[in-house]
Amino acid sequence: MRTVQELEERLASPSAALIEELSQLDGDIMLLGVGGKMGPSLARLAVNAIRQAGLNKKVIGVSRFSNKELRRELEEAGVEIISADLSDNKALQALPETQNILYMAGNKFGTTGNEHFTWMMNAYLPGRVAERFRNSRMVVFSTGNVYPFTPVSQGGATERTSPNANGEYGQSCLGRERIFEHFSHKNGTPMFIYRLNYAIDLRYGVLLELARSVREGLPIDITMGHANVIWQGDANEIALRALLRCSSPPNVMNITGPETLSLRWAANEFGRKLGIEPIFTGAEAPTALLSNAAKAAATFGYPRVSLAEMIDWIGDWIGQGGETWNKPTHFQEREGKY
């Protein structure tokens, strides 16, 4: 991949499994919060899968759309656009009845000093959305930040691990889950709680941040020495296929790659590709924010894109000066302050 167009095409290329499963899904698909990092490629993937399956379904993208160029691009890709602020109750109630909802709205960065807004977005708004779409099935985006740190040797938190979020962002995300869970019980709404960490694109993500630090000769703090990653195209596929696996009470699943990734090892791999010796500071802590994705692998199969491929692609992308986004993950954060 040498251009953004090639990257977008790969992210929006559906698998045979996705095409087959969307053929079994009744109703249109609405993405609430489509304007974030994952939303645009997820919407394009849904449109392409529907077209290749020969289905008569709409993909509806809802966002405030402060970025007018993104709105135009999505419309050209075949996404039906609704410009709306979900926190405006009148706008929320005016959204069309849609059988399949992907809830992607939320707030993370800028939480510190603005905690009230994060709690409104992550824990209050979900209740209103859950009531509004009580008759739909819903895939609810969440995060591995609801879990406590676990020993690296244990392979990550499983869905049976008791949540114990570190910091107000993670706590508010657990609040989001609990609110949706409540309304799933109350109204019988089938839901899927999608605990993601960390999605990887060539323009942002944990691996890109490591590669850029290596290339620029910046010291890499490896106190948070390990992480999980998954190619964004695979994460998008799973989000759509999850619509067929919603239940009441909600089906909860960790969505990430199978490896416990050593950040020191990954940085050294980028150093080898770029011909630069990485600079490290700190030492690996015995615990990290890790998720065990065995349940997802058993349900959806292993990701189509391997860790080795991600590292190769990002190394090449950085080496050729490919476009990047200034959207850091703050994967090094151990105090839960975002």
Side-chain angles (χ1 to χ4, degrees), residues 111 113-121 168:
T111 291
N114 198 28
E115 291 84 357
H116 61 89
F117 177 74
T118 295
W119 279 92
M120 185 280 292
M121 285 295 298
E168 293 215 31

Side-chain angles (χ1 to χ4, degrees), residues 24-272:
Q24 304 169 27
L25 186 72
D26 54 318
D28 297 329
I29 300 171
M30 180 184 290
L31 289 78
L32 301 179
V34 73
K37 288 187 290 189
M38 287 183 64
S41 60
L42 179 48
R44 294 187 190 101
L45 176 65
V47 168
N48 289 344
I50 288 167
R51 286 174 176 167
Q52 292 186 35
L55 304 174
N56 183 26
K57 294 182 188 295
K58 292 190 294 186
V59 177
I60 304 165
V62 180
S63 175
R64 286 172 293 183
F65 286 108
S66 54
N67 183 341
K68 304 305 180 185
E69 179 65 17
L70 174 61
R71 174 176 182 147
R72 182 189 64 78
E73 291 174 357
L74 289 178
E75 286 178 324
E76 290 180 353
V79 181
E80 181 176 306
I81 295 301
I82 298 177
S83 181
D85 181 350
L86 295 175
S87 65
D88 180 336
N89 193 57
K90 184 177 179 180
L92 176 62
Q93 298 304 320
L95 293 176
E97 288 292 341
T98 307
Q99 191 132 358
N100 303 288
I101 302 294
L102 283 87
Y103 183 80
M104 309 179 72
N107 188 66
K108 180 176 183 179
F109 301 117
T111 291
T112 301
N114 198 28
E115 291 84 357
H116 61 89
F117 177 74
T118 295
W119 279 92
M120 185 280 292
M121 285 295 298
N122 292 351
Y124 170 69
L125 180 59
R128 291 166 57 188
V129 171
E131 284 279 54
R132 170 65 184 84
F133 292 104
R134 65 176 69 86
N135 297 319
S136 304
R137 61 175 67 88
M138 305 184 70
V139 173
V140 176
F141 272 60
S142 188
T143 171
N145 285 87
V146 301
Y147 290 123
F149 291 175
T150 55
V152 173
S153 61
Q154 290 185 4
T158 73
E159 293 82 358
R160 295 185 300 275
T161 302
S162 295
N164 187 9
N166 181 22
E168 293 215 31
Y169 165 68
Q171 293 165 12
S172 70
C173 291
L174 179 58
R176 172 171 54 204
E177 291 191 12
R178 295 304 191 211
I179 294 299
F180 274 114
E181 182 183 9
H182 167 74
F183 286 103
S184 178
H185 280 273
K186 176 185 174 184
N187 299 324
T189 306
M191 296 183 182
F192 185 108
I193 304 294
Y194 177 104
R195 289 177 176 166
L196 174 67
N197 70 315
Y198 285 99
I200 298 297
D201 185 322
L202 300 187
R203 296 161 294 189
Y204 80 93
V206 173
L207 295 179
L208 174 70
E209 292 172 39
L210 290 174
R212 290 178 64 175
S213 293
V214 171
R215 184 193 61 183
E216 296 169 13
L218 300 175
I220 300 168
D221 183 353
I222 55 168
T223 307
M224 182 76 85
H226 298 81
N228 304 117
V229 296
I230 184 170
W231 177 244
Q232 184 168 303
D234 287 316
N236 289 344
E237 285 249 347
I238 291 172
L240 290 168
R241 294 177 64 191
L243 286 166
L244 285 167
R245 293 164 176 85
C246 296
S247 62
S248 179
N251 186 4
V252 179
M253 204 172 293
N254 297 336
I255 309 300
T256 193
E259 299 91 355
T260 297
L261 170 67
S262 163
L263 300 181
R264 182 189 294 271
W265 173 82
N268 280 324
E269 286 296 294
F270 287 125
R272 181 179 59 81

